[in-house]
Amino acid sequence: MAHAIKENRMTKLRLYSAKACPFAHRTRLVLQEKAIDFELTEVDLQNKPRAFVDASLYGKVPAIEHEGHRIWESAIINEYLEEVFPEPRLLPREPGRRALARIWIDYANTRLVPAFTQLLRAETRDQEAAGRKALGDVLAFIEREALARSSGQGPYWLGAEVSLVDVSFYPWFERLPAVGRLRDFSIPAELTRLRAWIEAVQARPAVRAIQNPVEFYVERFAKFVKPAATTAA
């Protein structure tokens, strides 16, 4: 199935994905932003097809096959796509700004994702409170040290143009309202730049094209919330 408007190269790319996976969501967004024609294989991670196992040696989504290459891990896939399909550009040209982009992508992987998971998968009230604080601290750091310093007057993480940084963070923010319902968490009102950034990214056609409703994530996340730890929506 083709999922973009135009084909950039002769050999169509194949993406192995899972609709609920935020890491696969990252790569779907890059493909949409760059209008890369591709064939989608939706993977049941409980019953992995042989072709997917061959393509992803870690057994995780996303993975791609393109021109004889098998590539996995979302951050690596996305940089590959940036190099092979350079327009529109999603990383800055200037080396220092490009390094900054990679630092923030690493922050998403090493700080945001663990804090999000800590809150979602908490098994006791104390763990839930610790997860809520951890995620709140990460969001405050993003407001103070990222968006207040890097965005300037632009709506996106690095300013006027969307980048791989926006793509790397956004999937967790699409899922955050579902965590909010299940764990009584919301973005503090004073994080105004973060709220504006979410609105700007959500308005992009590439984001809207593959967006899932909050209920989709609530249904999938509910299994992580034990009855004793559930809070009011």
Side-chain angles (χ1 to χ4, degrees):
M1 181 184 298
H3 282 253
I5 299 171
K6 64 182 181 180
E7 184 166 340
N8 298 61
R9 293 177 70 90
M10 294 300 293
T11 304
K12 187 177 292 186
L13 179 149
R14 178 175 295 279
L15 169 69
Y16 295 93
S17 181
K19 190 175 182 181
C21 174
F23 296 97
H25 193 171
R26 287 172 160 178
T27 296
R28 291 285 305 275
L29 288 171
V30 172
L31 291 166
Q32 292 290 332
E33 288 287 352
K34 289 181 173 288
I36 299 169
D37 196 28
F38 68 100
E39 294 180 351
L40 173 65
T41 296
E42 186 73 10
V43 176
D44 178 356
L45 295 174
Q46 305 306 312
N47 185 26
K48 300 172 184 176
R50 181 73 247 176
F52 166 67
V53 173
D54 290 341
S56 176
L57 298 188
Y58 293 173
K60 300 190 300 183
V61 291
I64 65 170
E65 293 176 333
H66 184 240
E67 297 194 335
H69 301 296
R70 299 177 300 166
I71 306 169
W72 54 96
E73 293 294 329
S74 62
I76 296 170
I77 291 171
N78 291 352
E79 289 223 25
Y80 171 83
L81 296 174
E82 175 72 358
E83 292 178 3
V84 176
F85 304 93
E87 298 298 334
R89 180 176 291 275
L90 294 179
L91 279 176
R93 293 181 184 275
E94 195 273 315
R97 295 284 287 174
R98 197 159 59 245
L100 179 64
R102 290 175 173 136
I103 288 169
W104 284 119
I105 291 169
D106 179 75
Y107 187 86
N109 294 337
T110 60
R111 300 294 193 276
L112 174 64
V113 174
F116 182 100
T117 304
Q118 181 182 352
L119 177 56
L120 176 61
R121 293 177 177 261
E123 295 185 355
T124 67
R125 295 290 187 185
D126 286 347
Q127 289 177 1
E128 185 178 340
R132 191 176 291 109
K133 181 181 185 305
L135 184 56
D137 288 347
V138 166
L139 300 187
F141 187 88
I142 289 171
E143 174 85 7
R144 182 180 69 252
E145 300 297 336
L147 299 175
R149 294 174 180 268
S150 301
S151 297
Q153 298 302 309
Y156 302 115
W157 205 280
L158 299 180
E161 303 296 334
V162 72
S163 73
L164 288 186
V165 183
D166 304 288
V167 166
S168 296
F169 277 87
Y170 174 74
W172 283 267
F173 286 94
E174 182 169 300
R175 291 155 177 78
L176 191 57
V179 176
R181 289 192 190 181
L182 296 167
R183 295 300 196 185
D184 191 25
F185 181 89
S186 61
I187 297 174
E190 63 268 21
L191 302 186
T192 55
R193 281 183 171 266
L194 179 58
R195 288 173 172 266
W197 171 80
I198 294 169
E199 291 180 3
V201 178
Q202 284 178 335
R204 295 191 64 80
V207 172
R208 294 200 307 268
I210 58 173
Q211 190 172 39
N212 293 310
V214 175
E215 289 73 17
F216 174 86
Y217 299 115
V218 169
E219 180 181 348
R220 283 150 183 81
F221 290 166
K223 63 184 178 182
F224 299 118
V225 181
K226 296 180 181 295
T230 303
T231 54

